[in-house]
Amino acid sequence: MNFKPNEITKEHVLSAVSKIDKDKIELIPSTRWVVLINEKEYPPKEVMRYAHSEMNGEHLWNYSGGKQTNNFLIKFGFEVVDNNNDPIKSLIDRYKEHIKTNGLKGEVYKWKLLKEFKGRPNLNVADFQKELKSINYSNLIYGVGYAAIYHLAKDKQEDYINCFDNLFNENIALQDRVLYFHNETLKIYREIVPEEKYSHHQDERTISTFLTFHDPDKYTLFKDSFYSKLCKLLKVKPKPKCYKYTHYLTIIQDIIEEYILTDDELLELKSQNLPGDVFADTNHLIFAQDILYQTLDGQVGIPNKYWRIGTTDGDKDYWSYMKENNVVCVGWPETGDLRDYDISSKKSIEQIFKDEGYYPNDKRTSSRKAGELFNFYDQINIGDIVLAQNGHNVLGIGVVLDEYYFDDTIDFPHQIGINWLVDNPRLRNPQGNQTTVYKIDNPEIINNVNQLINQADLRKEERIKEMQNKNSLNQILYGPPGTGKTYNTINKALEICGVDMSGMSREDIKSKYDDFVKEGRIMFTTFHQSMSYEDFIEGIKPILESDKEANSKSIVEYEIIPGIFKEICSKASEKSNISFLTAYQTFKDSILENDNELLELKTDKRNKSFYVNVNSKGSLNVYTTEEKKKQGVMTKENLQKLYEGDNQFIDWEGYAQKVVETITANSNVSSQQIEDNTTKPFVFIIDEINRGNIAAIFGELITLIEESKRQGEKEQLKAILPYSKDSFTVPNNLYIIGTMNTVDRSVEALDAALRRRFSFIEMPPQYDLKELNYDIVDFKAFEILKKINQRIEKLLDKDHMIGHSYFLKNGADDMLPIIMEAFYKNIIPLLQEYFFGDYGKIGLVLGKGFVEKNENSNDIFADFDHESSSQFEEREVFSIINYRSNNDNEGFKKAIMQLMNKQIG
């Protein structure tokens, strides 16, 4: 095929448009731009595809949407305009507001999985079922689909691998690959499961997941639910089964080109919220999918709906099944999977009912029940609240977690994933009685449901607090190097935050920890000799600001900046009005979108003018009329205090009051959505706590961290900070975890400064770990470690022992090279530090296999008279034998045997 864009003429374009109109060709709509030709609107990329076909018969257009394509049409004299009614822009705006508040919490797992499993499955394996089971596809494939996948991999391995081989073959058109995979897997599945009522579950969601894991730089994830909503939003007819994914990718690419790549704020939000240790997603394919999923399925920014779902068909109650399987489901099994139809309204389902023989003589009932099933399929969204009911009795309350799917193995096959929040509440709901699916709008019922959900959350918080009570507010993990002190602060922090880590892998634990760090619930720092009160509590720091009245030259101003400890204390004691904060962000954005030009406002006092813009810290600079002289700074915290009626807030000249009125004028902040951080645990981790000057870092605030002196306690103390003059107290939901290397114990005064306020938890070497029960030469790893530590304790003390982490089994088949590396990179350097270069003592610990005596030479010194020269010549000199330099494994093995005092034959 030959792509020749420069040979296309205006006549080709006009001929293409004429053909489109005459043949009534259905075009893929543009997400943003339209070209006006003969007073009609057309999608630019589609016009150029057909123009290329008019030019040489090849239906090609390889340029991206937006500027590249638009320039060709503009060159021919056609007008290209931005779509005024732009539904995608509305989605983008909602998504940006959502992640400004919530980040990518709950969705980062997709990028993490793609980092870990990119390029899989491997088709060149002996056991393909085992290979598929080793890949964590999470909830990206329907739960009911895994059984079919593993069945195919086990009983039809070669045929199934051939299907994957075809699916991943980039020399074949994607549409052909999708069709082949779906049809061929169905064919081989029928050879092992002949009953046609059982689906093979190799649908486009599953296919998209396989493709995306194989090559996430080219493909992205797909769900029929938000694809259907997207088509409805764009006013385009959804494609039939097996043709949806390719159509979806076309729309996705347009969204990337026309919205994501052109939105610097959106790209910056992605950069800020996507961790560095996940799949980079440089082509933004997963990001685009997340935007559609969260705005269309998750309905972020749109109030949740409440639904009654019946649990019985009259003969059998399915509540137990729903509860155990975390689903809500309804009947009508003969309809089959609704995703196989073009469902646009309840009329579509009425026709299916008619075809399948439901309600043959009762059009009224058929219409009503079709509406219920349509609501279940199309109107229930992720985040909606569901009441499972038998009659008036509410059996459970849950939140929707996943999209609609069809499970052909049960009589209630139409299903939606649910997280059940409340079991057997004392609640009756008469609304929608004898109706399978009913949208609840009774304010009293909704209020009662919300109270029950809140009570369930409180009970959860109480369980968390019970776990917290097992932990001291202030604790220090101490021990020699390599005993896992820093490693265990992660576990400690998550335990405090109420996370049950049983059964979790280390990767999942670290991922959960990172989520809490991103949320601001956990903060980590390391103390060092230059750490100061200004870094930790607050200090005056220079700030560069652009002076618009001084030819945009940068000037230095000084502001009081909170330190890291003050920041987390503020966050832990924060009760945020979410609605107000959203309105404040909108107000700032409106200024920044106008190049941060000064915004003129007038006070209610004497109609006096003043000006504001946004500074580098996200607060508002305030200027007076006289030569735009800077008057001061307003923070969102202080503006919120004024909004909430804090009488202690001092408002000069009524400036702040006017700003608050302006912020809230066009925003709905009356709902008072309060996020109360005081009910949540926060954790502040201080690594190497003994390396800092405690008196200089904490200053007078060292007393405030005592449990009895915390905020809300009977003996609560407050301090006035020297710079800001703010009243400061340490919240009682903030836990401080320190680590201390006993080798580095600076001064004995450390105990006096900290021990009264911290509980100390010793972390000695552990010899009974299963990861130490493996052989090194003829000895177990723990035996070698114990022998070394017995000798160190004899020569020094137990504080200088060696930690178990240097010997832990890490999954390698041959641990010898790893242990050799640990000896020369960690153990020997530590011993050299412990004994100040006294190799004789190092030899007593490691033996002559590691330390050798150098031969003395009588003429080593220069010719010079010195009274002790003969003593120096007789002095013994030792050196470390380095087996690592020449990979001398046999020499290292012998050295280990000598360390253990085993005779070498």
Side-chain angles (χ1 to χ4, degrees), residues 581-592:
L581 296 181
T582 301
Y584 176 74
Q585 186 63 46
T586 302
F587 176 75
K588 286 199 307 178
D589 289 346
S590 67
I591 298 176
L592 293 171

Side-chain angles (χ1 to χ4, degrees), residues 504-560:
M504 290 177 65
S505 67
R506 187 63 190 177
E507 290 75 15
D508 290 337
I509 290 172
K510 183 60 168 62
S511 174
K512 193 71 177 175
Y513 171 88
D514 291 340
D515 289 342
F516 277 105
V517 171
K518 182 74 72 175
E519 189 182 340
R521 295 269 302 279
I522 298 175
M523 187 179 288
F524 182 97
T525 191
T526 301
F527 274 7
H528 48 83
Q529 288 85 349
S530 60
M531 175 76 79
S532 67
Y533 181 96
E534 287 74 16
D535 299 316
F536 197 62
I537 308 298
E538 68 173 18
I540 298 176
K541 301 289 180 69
I543 302 293
L544 283 176
E545 290 285 347
S546 176
D547 183 359
K548 289 184 176 293
E549 299 304 311
N551 300 319
S552 298
K553 292 181 180 178
S554 294
I555 59 175
V556 177
E557 296 183 345
Y558 291 86
E559 290 184 9
I560 299 168

Side-chain angles (χ1 to χ4, degrees), residues 10 13-19 21 35-42 77-79:
K10 182 176 182 178
V13 174
L14 292 172
S15 177
V17 168
S18 177
K19 179 178 178 61
D21 291 343
V35 56
L36 299 178
I37 301 177
N38 298 331
E39 299 183 353
K40 289 183 65 177
E41 297 180 353
Y42 299 90
F78 300 117
E79 184 180 1

Side-chain angles (χ1 to χ4, degrees), residues 474-478 485-486 524-529 531 536 565 684-695 697-698 702 705 736-742 744-746 750 753-755 757-760:
N474 307 320
Q475 52 190 297
I476 290 177
L477 312 181
Y478 72 98
K485 297 179 295 298
T486 305
F524 182 97
T525 191
T526 301
F527 274 7
H528 48 83
Q529 288 85 349
M531 175 76 79
F536 197 62
F565 186 67
F684 189 65
I685 300 171
I686 306 174
D687 203 23
E688 305 284 359
I689 191 169
N690 54 311
R691 291 178 64 87
N693 185 330
I694 300 299
I697 294 171
F698 279 93
I702 189 68
I705 69 172
I736 303 174
I737 303 176
T739 71
M740 190 171 81
N741 192 330
T742 51
D744 297 329
R745 192 179 306 195
S746 319
L750 174 72
L754 295 183
R755 188 168 292 279
R757 299 175 175 94
F758 282 81
S759 61
F760 283 69

